[in-house]
Amino acid sequence: MSDDIFITAERIEGADDGPLAGRTVAVKDNISTAGVRTTCGSKMLEDYVPPYDATVVERLKEAGATIVGKANMDEFGMGTTTETSHFGATDNPAAPGHVPGGSSGGSAAAVAAGEADLALGSDTGGSVRCPAAFCGVVGIKPTYGLVSRYGLVAYGNSLEQIGPFGETVADAAELLDVIAGSDDRDATTRQAPRASDGRTGDARETRETPLEAEENYADAATGDVDGLSIGVPTELLEGADEGVVETFWDAIADLEDRGAEYHQVSLPSVEHAVEAYYVIAMSEASSNLARFDGVRYGQSGGYDGNWNETFAKAREEGFGDEVKRRILLGTYALSAGYHDKYYKKAQDARAWVKQDFDEALAEADVLASPTMPVPPFELGESLDDPLQLYLADANTVPVNLADLPAISVPAGETDGLPVGLQLIGPAFGERRLIRAASALA
C-alpha cells in the first residue's frame, strides 16, 4: 500500500524526546524538507531537493516525531482525487478501488492504512477535509494564520493552511498543538487567543465554560457537547447524495442524544462560493506558478536561443493538464480588461460569504454539514469531468473564503463508503470544534 501513498519514503528522525516522541508522521509533498525531495506531485519538481525545512517540519522534529515519508498529492494541490499526481493515483485504504480524496489524499491514506500515526496536509479549498471524509479519518483545517505557511509551496496564498490528520480528534489536536503558533517568517500568522474557547464578545458568553488560559488543543477533546448549539446551513444539503444526507442526520442525532441541539440557518452567499473560489484560487495560482520556468525552479526545456520558446517548452513538459488549465484560467481572469469583471467580483463575493458566516455563527456555536456532498468516486470515474470535481467542493470552499476553522470527522457510511461530518467554527474557535467533534471520534 505504501508504494502509492508515498512519493518519497525517506525517514527523517526527530529529537530524542518531546510530545510526539515515538509517533510517526506523513508529510504532504508540497511541504519543504531539507535534503529530502519535495515534488508537489509534479514532473516539474521531480528532482527538487529543498535546502531548508518548513516551519511545521522544524516543529515536528523538535517535538520528537519521526517523518516516515512525503505523501502523494494532486499536482501542486490542484485536484479532489489525488489522481492528477505525476507519480500516479493513490488507492483509498478505507474503500479500495475508490479515490482517497484530494489534494492531500496520500496524507489521509497514510493514516487510514496505518502507515503513519499522524499526517500533515494543506487545505486551500477542502484539501484536508475532503481526504479525511473519503478515508474515514479526522482532518482539521485551522483558522487562516494559526499555522505558519513558511516552507509550503504556494498555490493560493490567501486561502491555504497546513492542517493535521489523525485517526481520532485527540490525535489530530495533539499534532495541531505542535504546529500552531506565530512565526516571524510568515507575516500572516497570528497567536490564537487562549482564554475563552474563541467565544469572546458575543451574546452567548454567559453560557460558555471558559477554558484554562494554557489549555492545549488536545485537552479540549472531552466530547462534552451538552448545551452546544449547532446551525445546519440548508444550502449545504441541497443537491447532496441521499445516502450522504441520511448519514449526516444520523450523526446530528447522535450529538443531540449527547445534549446538543440544532436549528437550520441560511448562507445565501454560498450559491456563488464555488465560482468565487476558483476565480481567486486560479488567479493566485497563475501568479505563484510563474516561477516554475526551468530557470529559477523546475526542469529546463533546454535553451535554444529563444527565451519565450524555452519557457513555454519547460512548462508544457513539466505541468500536467489540470495545472495548465488553472494557470490559463487564472491568467485570463487577471488580464487587462477582465480583472474587474472577474477577480474583483470574486473578492466582493468572498466578503459576502464571510459576512454570512459571521451572522450564522452569532446564532450558533458551530455550523454543521456533510464534508463532501458525495461519497468517494471510483478511481478514474471523474478525471474527464473537471467541472464535476469543482462542484464537489461546494461544502468546503466557503470556509476558506471566510478564513474560518473547520474539522471533518467520520459520520458513518453509505453503501459501504465513508461519509464525513464537517463542523465549522468562528475564527480561532478550534477548541470548540475539537470539543464537539470528539463526541463522534
Side-chain angles (χ1 to χ4, degrees):
M1 177 64 72
S2 60
D3 288 346
D4 68 357
I5 289 176
F6 297 113
I7 293 174
T8 302
E10 187 170 339
R11 292 175 70 91
I12 304 173
E13 301 293 341
D16 292 335
D17 56 12
L20 294 182
R23 309 294 292 279
T24 55
V25 183
V27 174
K28 188 177 181 179
D29 205 30
N30 62 347
I31 298 173
S32 293
T33 44
V36 176
R37 194 171 61 141
T38 300
T39 72
C40 294
S42 179
K43 181 180 179 181
M44 179 67 81
L45 294 179
E46 189 170 13
D47 300 317
Y48 172 63
V49 178
Y52 68 98
D53 280 329
T55 296
V56 293
V57 171
E58 289 180 351
R59 291 176 178 176
L60 284 178
K61 291 161 73 172
E62 291 168 1
T66 297
I67 297 172
V68 293
K70 304 299 293 293
N72 198 15
M73 58 178 286
D74 282 301
E75 186 180 9
F76 283 102
M78 300 181 190
T80 309
T81 65
T82 310
E83 293 175 292
T84 69
S85 171
H86 170 64
F87 302 93
T90 295
D91 198 7
N92 186 337
H98 293 75
V99 302
S103 61
S104 310
S107 297
V111 174
E115 297 282 349
D117 300 321
L118 305 163
L120 287 181
S122 62
D123 192 310
T124 309
S127 291
V128 166
R129 289 160 290 155
C130 167
F134 279 5
C135 290
V137 297
V138 175
I140 299 175
K141 182 268 172 192
T143 304
Y144 186 80
L146 180 63
V147 178
S148 173
R149 292 183 296 111
Y150 177 78
L152 173 68
V153 180
Y155 161 22
N157 311 62
S158 74
L159 298 160
E160 59 201 4
Q161 275 288 272
I162 294 172
F165 292 94
E167 187 175 354
T168 67
V169 172
D171 287 340
E174 186 179 3
L175 182 50
L176 183 61
D177 274 316
V178 169
I179 63 174
S182 59
D183 178 14
D184 291 341
R185 294 170 296 187
D186 179 358
T188 66
T189 56
R190 295 168 284 176
Q191 192 66 42
R194 298 184 69 86
S196 70
D197 191 26
R199 298 188 244 183
T200 57
D202 61 45
R204 292 167 287 123
E205 203 159 80
T206 56
R207 49 190 183 86
E208 292 173 6
T209 303
L211 298 176
E212 295 297 325
E214 295 303 318
E215 183 182 41
N216 292 329
Y217 292 110
D219 292 336
T222 63
D224 179 11
V225 294
D226 189 33
L228 183 78
S229 172
I230 303 171
V232 177
T234 55
E235 292 85 356
L236 299 186
L237 296 175
E238 294 173 0
D241 176 85
E242 188 174 314
V244 167
V245 173
E246 183 177 336
T247 305
F248 165 76
W249 284 118
D250 288 343
I252 294 297
D254 193 358
L255 291 172
E256 280 190 292
D257 291 341
R258 296 168 183 263
E261 59 86 17
Y262 86 89
H263 60 277
Q264 294 189 335
V265 298
S266 181
L267 298 171
S269 62
V270 301
E271 177 185 356
H272 306 288
V274 171
E275 296 97 316
Y277 166 81
Y278 275 103
V279 169
I280 294 169
M282 291 180 185
S283 297
E284 294 184 4
S286 73
S287 174
N288 283 320
L289 271 62
R291 72 194 72 177
F292 301 107
D293 56 10
V295 177
R296 290 169 290 182
Y297 293 95
Q299 298 190 3
S300 172
Y303 183 65
D304 60 1
N306 185 309
W307 160 242
N308 287 327
E309 290 183 6
T310 300
F311 176 83
K313 183 179 179 184
R315 292 162 72 82
E316 168 65 27
E317 295 176 352
F319 290 140
D321 290 344
E322 182 59 30
V323 173
K324 292 173 186 173
R325 180 183 296 114
R326 298 193 189 199
I327 289 174
L328 287 170
L329 290 172
T331 302
Y332 178 78
L334 292 176
S335 60
Y338 293 98
H339 178 279
D340 288 354
K341 183 176 181 180
Y342 295 112
Y343 187 75
K344 185 177 183 299
K345 284 186 177 180
Q347 292 290 6
D348 290 342
R350 182 176 190 171
W352 183 20
V353 169
K354 182 168 178 55
Q355 177 181 319
D356 276 358
F357 271 107
D358 288 344
E359 291 175 358
L361 286 166
E363 303 298 330
D365 295 323
V366 298
L367 305 180
S369 76
T371 307
M372 299 296 290
V374 292
F377 307 105
E378 292 184 2
L379 285 166
E381 174 186 348
S382 53
L383 273 180
D384 294 332
D385 189 355
L387 183 58
Q388 178 188 359
L389 293 179
Y390 297 166
L391 294 174
D393 295 334
N395 289 9
T396 54
V397 298
V399 177
N400 298 77
L401 291 173
D403 296 335
L404 298 178
I407 186 170
S408 178
V409 294
E413 295 183 346
T414 176
D415 295 328
L417 300 174
V419 174
L421 169 75
Q422 175 177 240
L423 296 176
I424 305 163
F428 298 108
E430 279 82 0
R431 292 180 183 81
R432 189 189 309 181
L433 294 178
I434 288 165
R435 178 173 290 103
S438 59
L440 297 174

